[in-house]
């Protein structure tokens, strides 16, 4: 049940995030659908490929595809002022990251992968779709910039990989904590250290 709920939450959030980015960079309607779907399913597809899960698993998520398409359509139909409001706090990106980080970690744990693999699965599921979206939108991927983003997905994977969680509500608490940490770091503009090389 937790798996399905997080799947739906992450799909809606990232489908909306991808569609909004497409509208921001002035892509057409098809571009909005492409970016929305890639953001929603890209991270899970990469995770499956890297953990040996057949790609056909992706195409068996008919309900989630329908949910994503409806979500993207709603974003397209919203007035521009409403779309701009949706982007103000980066909330959907944060929700998608948190939901898919926990879900990705749960997936890796269910097939008995070691701790580092659980952390990697959380990171790539939570951030992979957004990375592909940003590249297609010709933007620097948010996950590779100095903003604290990927760290929270790794944190969720670490907590889950330690086998500390057993009850259903534990996973929802982890999702909420990850979301709050991401929200706080975004609000206060927390940054990771940067080392740059100056050209001579």
């Amino acid at each position: 049940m937790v798996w399905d709920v997080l799947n739906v939450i992450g799909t809606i959030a990232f489908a909306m995030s991808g569609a909004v980015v497409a509208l921001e960079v002035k892509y057409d309607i098809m571009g909005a659908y492409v970016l929305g779907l890639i953001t929603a399913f890209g991270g899970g597809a990469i995770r499956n490929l890297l953990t040996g899960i057949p790609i056909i698993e992706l195409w068996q998520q008919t309900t989630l595809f329908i949910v994503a398409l409806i979500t993207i359509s709603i974003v397209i139909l919203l007035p521009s002022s409403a779309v701009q409001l949706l982007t103000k706090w980066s909330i959907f990106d944060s929700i998608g990251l948190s939901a898919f980080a926990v879900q990705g970690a749960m997936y890796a744990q269910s097939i008995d992968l070691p701790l580092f693999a659980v952390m990697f699965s959380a990171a790539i599921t939570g951030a992979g779709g957004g990375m592909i979206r940003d590249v297609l939108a010709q933007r620097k991927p948010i996950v590779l910039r100095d903003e604290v983003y990927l760290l929270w997905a790794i944190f969720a994977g670490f907590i889950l990989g330690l086998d500390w969680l057993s009850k259903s509500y534990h996973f929802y608490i982890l999702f909420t904590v990850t979301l709050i940490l991401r929200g706080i770091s975004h609000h206060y503009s927390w940054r990771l250290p940067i080392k740059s090389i100056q050209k001579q």
Side-chain angles (χ1 to χ4, degrees):
M1 181 64 180
V2 178
W3 165 275
D4 292 328
V5 171
L6 292 176
N7 226 351
V8 172
I9 291 173
T11 298
I12 292 173
F14 268 157
M16 189 165 287
S17 172
V20 167
V21 168
L23 297 180
E24 282 183 324
V25 297
K26 296 181 171 55
Y27 283 178
D28 61 17
I29 292 177
M30 184 57 67
Y33 281 106
V34 169
L35 254 62
L37 290 172
I38 284 177
T39 309
F41 296 100
I46 297 172
R47 176 202 65 207
N48 288 358
L49 288 173
L50 295 178
T51 53
I53 305 301
I55 194 63
I56 194 172
E57 292 283 335
L58 174 67
W59 305 114
Q60 293 176 344
Q61 303 179 90
T62 305
T63 302
L64 290 178
F65 273 107
I66 294 172
V67 168
L69 290 171
I70 292 173
T71 302
I72 297 165
S73 299
I74 291 172
V75 172
I76 292 172
L77 294 172
L78 286 174
S80 298
S81 57
V83 175
Q84 289 175 352
L85 188 62
L86 292 177
T87 66
K88 187 173 183 181
W89 300 107
S90 226
I91 184 64
F92 294 107
D93 227 29
S94 299
I95 292 172
L97 171 78
S98 304
F100 276 157
V102 175
Q103 189 245 28
M106 290 176 64
Y107 188 90
Q109 193 179 47
S110 71
I111 56 176
D112 298 321
L113 293 179
L115 175 60
F116 284 107
V118 174
M119 293 165 63
F120 174 80
S121 181
I124 200 65
T125 310
M131 290 179 65
I132 301 172
R133 173 205 65 203
D134 289 343
V135 170
L136 292 177
Q138 300 180 345
R139 308 194 317 182
K140 290 182 179 179
I142 188 174
V143 68
L144 302 180
R145 287 183 276 170
D146 54 335
E147 187 175 344
V148 180
Y149 185 85
L150 186 62
L151 180 64
W152 302 129
I154 296 172
F155 160 79
F158 175 74
I159 296 298
L160 212 154
L162 291 176
D163 287 327
W164 290 349
L165 312 182
S166 57
K167 305 293 185 181
S168 295
Y169 70 88
H170 291 165
F171 298 101
Y172 291 121
I173 290 174
L174 180 58
F175 161 70
T176 304
V177 170
T178 306
L179 177 60
I180 291 172
L181 289 172
R182 165 58 187 162
I184 292 172
S185 67
H186 178 74
H187 180 72
Y188 290 104
S189 299
W190 291 356
R191 297 288 185 265
L192 294 174
I194 300 174
K195 183 176 180 179
S196 59
I197 299 175
Q198 294 184 352
K199 294 182 179 179
Q200 299 296 329

